[in-house]
Amino acid sequence: MTIWDERYSSQEYVYGTQANKFFQKELQKIPPGIILLPAEGEGRNAVHAAKENWKVYAIDSSIEGQKKALKIAEQMNVQIHYTVSDLKDFDFPTEKYDAIAMIYVHLPNAIRKKIHHKLINSLKVGGKFILEAFSTEQLQYTSGGPKTLELLYTLQMIKDDFKDLQFINLETTITNLSEGLYHKGDAHVVRLVGVK
């Protein structure tokens, strides 16, 4: 059992059932189409997008995450397509998605750039990319996230990894999280909204 299967195997939705607020706000600005949510976990963002009439594709390495995501989708009477796969092994299609959202997806340096590049390649021309993740400053906070510097982001890393996008918003900010057990309190985050 992986660390994520272990984390998601509880009855409780450990990051809550409400979609991330930044994701909700940005999604409202885009007409519904096809969206990809990599490392989607227990499905809170996928289900929200489906309720907003998006055709939703989600990927995560955790089968426990998939079970919970499909359960909440059924409760909300929406459909999501959820594949269990490690991101590094996933065969990303070319120019398929109208939007891609990475919400608290923290990848090790060894694969980070490669996966970010594959995701950009999967986005249609004119498609939107939405990202919110913990910055390196988050180590000073107790509201969640990886405790390893290598898994956290600087603004420059995001700028370099996503240089093929036109940036609408690129910033670091402090936000207050209330997302289940593991995201609670003030947090230092990096945010990106870009267009291909």
Side-chain angles (χ1 to χ4, degrees):
M1 189 180 262
T2 69
I3 177 181
W4 293 108
D5 281 330
E6 215 169 284
R7 181 167 288 189
Y8 296 147
S9 63
S10 67
Q11 285 291 100
E12 196 169 349
Y13 282 74
V14 296
Y15 294 103
T17 54
Q18 296 300 307
N20 171 267
K21 285 191 169 65
F22 179 68
F23 171 66
Q24 286 186 49
K25 191 180 89 176
E26 292 304 323
L27 200 67
Q28 280 178 350
K29 300 174 185 176
I30 319 168
I34 305 169
I35 189 168
L36 176 68
L37 293 150
E40 172 53 8
E42 299 168 304
R44 63 196 177 106
N45 298 307
V47 167
H48 174 76
K51 279 162 63 181
E52 297 293 315
N53 299 314
W54 285 79
K55 186 172 186 181
V56 179
Y57 290 86
I59 313 162
D60 199 281
S61 61
S62 169
I63 196 148
E64 296 298 330
Q66 182 199 42
K67 283 180 198 167
K68 286 168 94 172
L70 295 177
K71 184 181 170 187
I72 192 175
E74 192 180 348
Q75 286 169 357
M76 297 293 175
N77 204 25
V78 294
Q79 188 182 23
I80 60 173
H81 305 272
Y82 193 120
T83 304
V84 176
S85 172
D86 196 299
L87 289 183
K88 69 178 187 302
D89 303 323
F90 188 75
D91 188 15
F92 291 96
T94 303
E95 296 195 356
K96 173 172 181 171
Y97 306 106
D98 299 292
I100 295 175
M102 295 186 83
I103 305 300
Y104 297 103
V105 181
H106 294 270
L107 303 168
N109 286 334
I111 60 169
R112 191 193 81 238
K113 276 189 175 178
K114 193 176 180 184
I115 287 172
H116 286 167
H117 181 73
K118 284 180 176 181
L119 288 167
I120 293 165
N121 198 39
S122 274
L123 199 59
K124 289 178 187 173
V125 174
K128 282 254 182 87
F129 204 105
I130 302 164
L131 178 147
E132 182 173 90
F134 292 114
S135 81
T136 50
E137 302 291 319
Q138 178 63 11
L139 288 177
Q140 302 166 46
Y141 295 80
T142 57
S143 52
K147 299 294 172 238
T148 318
L149 199 60
E150 190 212 358
L151 291 172
L152 299 167
Y153 297 126
T154 64
L155 209 55
Q156 193 59 51
M157 282 160 77
I158 297 298
K159 196 182 276 188
D160 292 345
D161 285 9
F162 294 95
K163 64 180 186 293
D164 294 335
L165 300 179
Q166 179 189 336
F167 301 138
I168 296 170
N169 178 21
L170 179 63
E171 63 172 357
T172 55
T173 189
I174 294 169
T175 188
N176 188 271
L177 296 175
S178 179
E179 301 179 337
L181 296 173
Y182 288 96
H183 286 176
K184 223 181 237 328
D186 285 347
H188 203 283
V189 300
V190 58
R191 288 173 171 168
L192 160 74
V193 181
V195 178
K196 185 170 173 181

